[in-house]
Amino acid sequence: MAHSVLVAGATGMLGSKIAHALLEKNVEVMVLTRSLHPSSPKSAQHLAQLQSRGAQVVEGDLNNMESLLKATEGAPAVISAVQGEFDIIVQGQQNLLRAAEKNGVRRFVPSDFSMNYFKLAEGDNDNSDIRRQFAELLKASPVAHTFILNGAFTEVEVSPWGGLIDQENSTFSYWGDGETSFDITTINDTARYTAEAVLDPVLANQVFEVAGDVLTMKEFLAIYQETTGRHLTERRLGSVQELKDWIEQKKRTASSPHEYLGQQYHYALVSGKGKLDNLQNDRYPYIQPLTLKQFLEGFR
Ligand SMILES: NC(=O)c1ccc[n+]([C@@H]2O[C@H](COP(=O)([O-])OP(=O)(O)OC[C@H]3O[C@@H](n4cnc5c(N)ncnc54)[C@H](OP(=O)(O)O)[C@@H]3O)[C@@H](O)[C@H]2O)c1
């Protein structure tokens, strides 16, 4: 195997951009994919684009140790941008870590890419709970780690999934007083920072925090209206405590965490609990991450 950085999850939304950002820096890239011929057209497209730019491809699955041992052979570093539940984030990433250990990989970036989940309490966010579990395994490993935290993806917060903007009804909804700051970064900028951080010796065994913008809900709304020229009616849904109560109530009856996960992310933002306290954007001054305004103006 070549001495390439291995990217797991490179057929995904963030992972594909990370792989491209590495190639942009002339770093050799090995892409781990579950299938050489993904059934999803989007995944197939990501794979074809990466291959056409020179990325190598290795077939493997986080649940198949043999394939991970082959994939990590000779890799200086592993970046995980996988998505999933306990079986992927804890068990699967643990398999990848054990394979990395066996092959003397020097750096492991886990699939975090979120607000500061280390500051959240158990139960605040189901996805963060399992990421903290894996973080403990990673911290105990001889392979050095870099935890990359970027707040919320800007793309998500302006999309229906973010739950803020309802285009049809022209509303902007949030919990809390609208005065608490939170962090947002575009997917592309997160990928570019990741490509820098993974081989940066100073960031071995460090948390690396970046943000394209730091805003309150009220500031977010004002920028959105000014930049797009669209008026949205501000809807305050209740206090932060009422949001927490809503989530706890929902957890008791929900058939899937997807019924409340969006609100759990919103809670981390509006409560300030997930706030990044140590932004290190200036570590790579040639990366100028997009503000919300720039993103809305169409910059990518
Ligand atoms: N901060 C934010 O606002 C925000 C928003 C979204 C996501 N994120 C984070 O970003 C990270 C990536 O998320 P994403 O949305 O980019 O993910 P995604 O598009 O759903 O892609 C997930 C990737 O994981 C791969 N994968 C899943 N199970 C696997 C397995 N068993 N073995 C090997 N590969 C496997 C998938 O491969 P296949 O192509 O084979 O399915 C795919 O490439 C996650 O940690 C997520 O929580 C953060």
Side-chain angles (χ1 to χ4, degrees):
M1 283 289 154
H3 295 268
S4 309
V5 171
L6 181 73
V7 183
T11 52
M13 178 174 75
L14 172 65
S16 57
K17 284 193 161 36
I18 293 174
H20 280 293
L22 287 163
L23 291 167
E24 205 68 47
K25 283 174 53 68
N26 293 319
V27 174
E28 286 184 38
V29 173
M30 176 75 72
V31 163
L32 178 82
T33 179
R34 282 193 279 188
S35 165
L36 298 177
H37 305 285
S39 52
S40 138
K42 196 80 202 160
S43 297
Q45 190 189 9
H46 284 315
L47 204 55
Q49 281 171 347
L50 288 167
Q51 277 181 293
S52 74
R53 288 190 67 188
Q56 295 170 280
V57 176
V58 57
E59 201 170 15
D61 192 305
L62 293 195
N63 295 315
N64 179 333
M65 198 61 194
E66 204 180 315
S67 70
L68 299 179
L69 284 168
K70 186 175 155 217
T72 51
E73 207 182 304
V78 170
I79 300 171
S80 169
V82 295
Q83 180 63 298
E85 297 180 7
F86 182 87
D87 60 325
I88 302 295
I89 298 299
V90 182
Q91 291 171 332
Q93 290 199 116
Q94 185 175 10
N95 291 339
L96 186 57
L97 177 62
R98 297 297 169 241
E101 287 168 353
K102 286 215 170 78
N103 278 320
V105 171
R106 297 189 297 282
R107 187 77 62 88
F108 194 108
V109 175
S111 196
D112 293 343
F113 310 109
S114 71
M115 68 277 170
N116 190 344
Y117 65 93
F118 294 104
K119 288 167 49 180
L120 300 187
E122 195 68 17
D124 278 348
N125 182 300
D126 291 18
N127 280 352
S128 301
D129 290 349
I130 54 177
R131 280 164 177 73
R132 272 196 313 279
Q133 274 187 57
F134 180 68
E136 288 311 310
L137 297 170
L138 182 52
K139 284 184 199 164
S141 166
V143 181
H145 57 261
T146 304
F147 298 115
I148 299 182
L149 304 178
N150 54 271
F153 287 156
T154 311
E155 290 86 340
V156 170
E157 292 310 307
V158 301
S159 77
W161 204 89
L164 303 177
I165 299 163
D166 179 342
Q167 296 283 5
E168 209 171 305
N169 296 304
S170 297
T171 56
F172 183 86
S173 307
Y174 60 87
W175 298 77
D177 61 7
E179 308 278 4
T180 302
S181 295
F182 58 94
D183 311 277
I184 56 170
T185 310
T186 67
I187 301 170
N188 214 27
D189 289 332
T190 302
R192 291 170 73 206
Y193 279 119
T194 304
E196 296 293 334
V198 65
L199 296 174
D200 186 338
V202 172
L203 294 181
N205 295 323
Q206 299 293 318
V207 176
F208 180 55
E209 299 185 358
V210 291
D213 221 336
V214 180
L215 298 165
T216 66
M217 286 295 166
K218 285 182 189 287
E219 288 166 342
F220 192 113
L221 173 59
I223 290 168
Y224 184 88
Q225 296 189 131
E226 274 163 33
T227 314
T228 65
R230 273 177 244 148
H231 173 78
L232 299 177
T233 304
E234 188 173 345
R235 285 176 69 224
R236 197 182 156 214
L237 301 174
S239 69
V240 172
Q241 185 55 49
E242 283 168 326
L243 170 59
K244 185 70 174 159
D245 295 343
W246 182 94
I247 294 167
E248 294 311 318
Q249 175 64 30
K250 196 75 185 170
K251 273 187 186 179
R252 287 194 274 276
T253 55
S255 52
S256 154
H258 292 285
E259 290 180 37
Y260 55 80
L261 256 174
Q263 284 79 5
Q264 287 190 323
Y265 278 102
H266 190 75
Y267 171 73
L269 303 188
V270 297
S271 65
K273 275 180 111 171
K275 181 78 189 74
L276 304 179
D277 299 318
N278 182 26
L279 293 179
Q280 298 157 67
N281 292 12
D282 55 2
R283 174 146 194 83
Y284 312 113
Y286 40 89
I287 300 180
Q288 292 292 314
L290 294 181
T291 60
L292 175 63
K293 183 173 165 55
Q294 290 169 325
F295 177 78
L296 292 171
E297 283 169 345
F299 292 94
R300 289 293 182 271

